[in-house]
Amino acid sequence: MAEVWLWIRSGATIGGMNVNFAERAHNHNWKLDPIVRSLLDTDFYKLLMLQFIWKNFPQVHVTSEVVNRTVSVKLAERVGAAALVEQMEHVRGLRFRKSEMVWLAGNTFYGTRSIFEPKFLEWLERDFKLSDYEVTEHEGQLVLRYSGLWTEVTMWEIYALAIVSELKTRSALAELSELELDVLYARAKTRLWDKIELLRGVDDLELSDFGTRRRHSFLWQEYAVQALGAGLGDRLKGTSNTALAYKHDLEAIGTNAHELPMALAAMATSDAELRASQYKVLELWQKSYGGALLVMLPDTFGTTQFLEGAPEWVADWTGQRVDSKDPMVAGDEYIAWLMRRGRDARGKRLIASDALDAGDIVRLDEYFRGRIRFSAGWGTLLTNDFRGCHPRGEDTLEPISLVCKLMTVEGKPAVKLSDNSHKSTGPAEEIARYRRVFGTAAVEGGVVVV
């Protein structure tokens, strides 16, 4: 433990990376310090989804919007619109580098080489661009809206969330002296290591970093991932951040998100087609991907109704990711559903990823051990847990619940019901219609923390 404490105090040298966070934050006098420096600095599932959209829906127009669910935090008071636009314009000027394209083309992802088609990679290198956007303010909140072809809008999600989150971080850091910054990061590093120590006691743990979208900063995410690797070894299965996977020779982790079923539902022309859309997206997905990428996310319109109406072939998929339902409840439900269909749950994968912390991961691993292959996607509370670390006791560095959601598809509203009503999105009248069609009760879930 003394050896570990040494690198916690000394400026964080892990795997050749030496970052003095306090000094870097205090001496921030350059014109523009880009938050996103590579188009690979996104979650891997966005690239998989981009290829899916490019192949199946290249001419569909959509809009999306960044929403701050932590309404008590007035983002417009902490993040300047001009600084936000400056960062997003920087991202719009980026292009995929030759070395990155070679890696995407030749690397093995989920046991599959050439998972990205040559024509897609050619388009990605030559023709990919990000859509137009607008930034406004409303009742103390920043409002970011993106509109254009779906292929142009979809990638904004992670870039935008990471930019807003880190701009909020920088605003709070600018108020601290160098000594206070030193105290802040010493506390955060100690907290991170305490969590790693807890996880080190779990044999055969399967854990991945899912913390890009609401991270404290890119550098802190990189530090946290390397600390996990140093502490857990091969129990760290990878990272959702494609840039970090590329840079540090890690597995890139990710499958798909709510955006796909939301879009197909919005394009439905009847109630019957609407209800069937949640399975149609799976049919299309498995035409492009297989194996470990066949992981369903059934809670877009309610997990229980999804499983009850799912075609038999869905039970042959590799596993399920749990987002908005209590993971123990959702996992038990999935295991029972598999058993009724004659499938052995011990060969399936259950991925939990919603607001997990180290203690949750340990409890879930113990609960499901021997019943199903459990793995955890550790997000915001890995890459942005500065709660209680502020040297003046302020809350300006605590994480908030930022999301970027699809709003319209070809002019029609996009809806998400979720297993947690606090996460529902869309116009009230459309949410009511979707609940009628899907037969999903308005479940009052837990308070959304991150």
Side-chain angles (χ1 to χ4, degrees), residues 297-350:
L297 179 63
D299 74 322
T300 309
F301 308 118
T303 296
T304 299
Q305 65 79 32
F306 177 97
L307 294 176
E308 288 175 350
E312 185 67 19
W313 53 266
V314 176
D316 293 324
W317 272 42
T318 301
Q320 172 178 316
R321 181 163 74 87
V322 180
D323 182 70
S324 58
K325 205 168 196 173
D326 181 319
M328 290 184 181
V329 174
D332 285 343
E333 185 177 24
Y334 180 47
I335 291 169
W337 179 79
L338 289 168
M339 290 178 62
R340 290 195 299 271
R341 282 153 181 77
R343 275 42 168 211
D344 187 350
R346 291 172 298 180
K348 299 292 186 179
R349 170 78 64 190
L350 181 72

Side-chain angles (χ1 to χ4, degrees), residues 247-266:
K247 181 178 178 180
H248 296 289
D249 195 26
L250 296 168
E251 289 290 330
I253 304 294
T255 52
N256 52 68
H258 300 109
E259 181 180 343
L260 297 184
M262 287 174 67
L264 266 70

